Amino acid sequence: MRTILEQLAARGAHCHAVTACCFDVPPGDRVGELLRARGLTQSAQVDGVNVPVWQGRVAGVEYNTIALPTQLRNQLTAIEEMIYRDAIVGWLAQNKPDIVLTYGGFLLENEVQRCARAAGARVVFYLANPNYMRPETFANTNLILANSGAVRDHYLHKMKLDSHAIGLFVARSSEPITKIEPRFITFVNPLPEKGVTVFLKLVERAANDAPDMRFLVVESRGILAEAMRKLNLPAELLKQVTVIGKQENLSAVYRQTAVLLVPSLWFEAAGRVLVEANANGIPVLASNGGGIPETLGQAGCLLPVPERCRADFWTLPTRDEIAPWWDELARLWFEPDHHRAMSQKALVAAETYDLSARAATLEILLRSILPPAGGN
């Protein structure tokens, strides 16, 4: 969403972000440090309540971040939701936006969309996961955007919902990525739906057949130790695994990554790590469902995952079931020529990713829902 706003701002739109202060992994007392690092300053508070607002202009986008005490979206209290809703209503009245771009299916998000429509704005919904269940979530929308063709088709079949597939908006880093040793096989966000069972089975195979392999796990919402306890696996299984916490920027991770594992068991809408891996010439081994194939393009290697693991994310696959994954992983690890060829395929696929073209297409779609004489 931030990249979308920055791209539209670069094309001359006046872009604002008015948000609560919620995170996948709450920073707690470090929230001020995090917001300052983003270029914001605490310069206001919500009228009538003691809730600070962090503001600033970053990459052409004006930010108003309402720092409610609760930092997880699904734990906001009724009073916090009311404070946020009222702040949005005041902001809408003052700024009169042409378009409000949003997402989310809880009652607060529905109310914000209704308020935006009442204030005269067109509402655009960014559809980026397969989990919305209620058609009324989209009742106040003028335009629905999907982050992949697979997501568009999923909702067309699921609830006859019309949407436009615009793809992912991922800004490429201007910093050159230089690989450093040691090289890792990397897995991001060790959640059951992300395929932590497949990953752990590959680690188990490596312990027996390739003790020099080194794995890197980047935690986020998923915590590897919790998965190990849930699966009742011994701690010594992780002797070849390095675990790090959530990263604000994955550049340092990519510098040390030889292969990226994306063994998702659920319907993966797209996956920004796929775009970033291609841009950095990193071969990807990924499951062959959802929006993964189109996001990878002609790069990477698409592999099957057992249907019983898709049915129950905590089911450990067998040695035979992960054999295709292991065979390709071993080739990438032990055969330098094969790794170079797959790395080159990733870089070629990355060249087809044109963020400015996506922004131009998005602008056309947004202008199409404005009144004939309207629009800034």
Side-chain angles (χ1 to χ4, degrees):
M1 292 293 275
R2 188 167 67 243
T3 302
I4 286 174
L5 292 178
E6 290 173 357
Q7 288 293 310
L8 291 173
R11 299 181 66 84
H14 298 281
C15 292
H16 299 252
V18 187
T19 75
C21 204
C22 297
F23 303 83
D24 282 345
V25 180
D29 293 340
R30 292 184 53 250
V31 65
E33 173 190 338
L34 187 94
L35 294 174
R36 275 189 290 272
R38 292 285 189 193
L40 307 184
T41 57
Q42 184 179 331
S43 53
Q45 67 178 29
V46 179
D47 289 344
V49 292
N50 187 26
V51 174
V53 179
W54 291 72
Q55 298 173 310
R57 182 179 176 87
V58 182
V61 181
E62 298 286 348
Y63 285 89
N64 286 274
T65 301
I66 302 165
L68 298 166
T70 301
Q71 296 178 359
L72 281 172
R73 167 63 191 95
N74 62 1
Q75 293 181 10
L76 290 178
T77 67
I79 291 175
E80 288 173 328
E81 290 192 335
M82 188 161 49
I83 291 169
Y84 179 72
R85 181 262 186 201
D86 290 348
I88 290 289
V89 169
W91 188 92
L92 290 167
Q94 181 178 351
N95 291 276
K96 298 180 173 58
D98 298 300
I99 290 171
V100 170
L101 174 63
T102 186
Y103 61 92
F106 294 128
L107 291 178
L108 175 60
E109 287 85 344
N110 289 169
E111 172 65 4
V112 166
Q113 292 168 35
R114 188 196 65 79
C115 292
R117 286 288 292 266
R122 301 298 194 266
V123 174
V124 177
F125 195 105
Y126 186 57
L127 193 56
N129 76 64
N131 292 333
Y132 295 107
M133 303 298 294
R134 300 158 61 90
E136 53 265 40
T137 295
F138 310 99
N140 289 302
T141 59
N142 300 99
L143 177 69
I144 302 170
L145 307 171
N147 69 346
S148 70
V151 169
R152 175 199 59 206
D153 296 344
H154 172 76
Y155 280 99
L156 185 61
H157 174 74
K158 183 177 180 179
M159 57 179 70
K160 295 183 170 56
L161 191 69
D162 288 324
S163 60
H164 297 264
I166 60 168
L168 284 173
F169 278 65
V170 180
R172 293 183 64 167
S173 173
S174 58
E175 300 178 15
I177 297 294
T178 303
K179 293 290 193 305
I180 61 175
E181 295 295 343
R183 301 191 321 161
F184 287 111
I185 298 158
T186 298
F187 176 52
V188 179
N189 202 4
L191 286 166
E193 61 267 28
K194 296 289 187 179
V196 69
T197 55
V198 177
F199 168 76
L200 288 170
K201 203 68 181 178
L202 289 170
V203 171
E204 182 183 76
R205 179 76 183 264
N208 295 320
D209 297 354
D212 66 323
M213 275 187 181
R214 291 295 177 266
F215 297 86
L216 176 65
V217 171
V218 183
E219 296 183 332
S220 181
R221 286 174 292 123
I223 304 299
L224 188 60
E226 293 178 2
M228 295 289 288
R229 285 194 293 270
K230 172 76 174 180
L231 295 165
N232 197 28
L233 294 174
E236 56 264 27
L237 181 64
L238 301 184
K239 62 185 178 182
Q240 294 169 241
V241 180
T242 299
V243 180
I244 61 175
K246 180 177 172 62
Q247 304 294 296
E248 284 300 310
N249 187 315
L250 287 177
S251 294
V253 170
Y254 292 136
R255 289 190 184 98
Q256 301 178 73
T257 295
V259 180
L260 181 70
L261 296 176
V262 187
S264 292
L265 300 175
W266 76 322
F267 182 105
E268 196 72 58
R272 66 176 293 128
V273 293
L274 304 174
V275 176
E276 292 170 341
N278 280 349
N280 292 309
I282 298 170
V284 178
L285 302 186
S287 52
N288 57 358
I292 290 175
E294 67 186 273
T295 306
L296 266 179
Q298 299 301 310
C301 182
L302 299 173
L303 296 161
V305 290
E307 285 303 317
R308 64 193 190 91
C309 294
R310 289 191 189 275
D312 179 358
F313 299 152
W314 286 111
T315 297
L316 276 167
T318 66
R319 181 185 175 96
D320 288 343
E321 286 171 334
I322 65 149
W325 290 78
W326 175 257
D327 292 344
E328 185 58 30
L329 182 60
R331 284 193 69 195
L332 288 168
W333 188 261
F334 292 114
E335 299 178 22
D337 289 345
H338 180 59
H339 187 278
R340 277 191 293 271
M342 293 297 287
S343 178
Q344 186 59 35
K345 283 180 67 176
L347 292 171
V348 169
E351 290 303 316
T352 68
Y353 181 87
D354 190 336
L355 185 57
S356 62
R358 295 184 184 209
T361 299
L362 175 58
E363 182 181 338
I364 291 170
L365 287 169
L366 296 179
R367 288 190 181 278
S368 74
I369 62 172
L370 292 175
N376 257 326

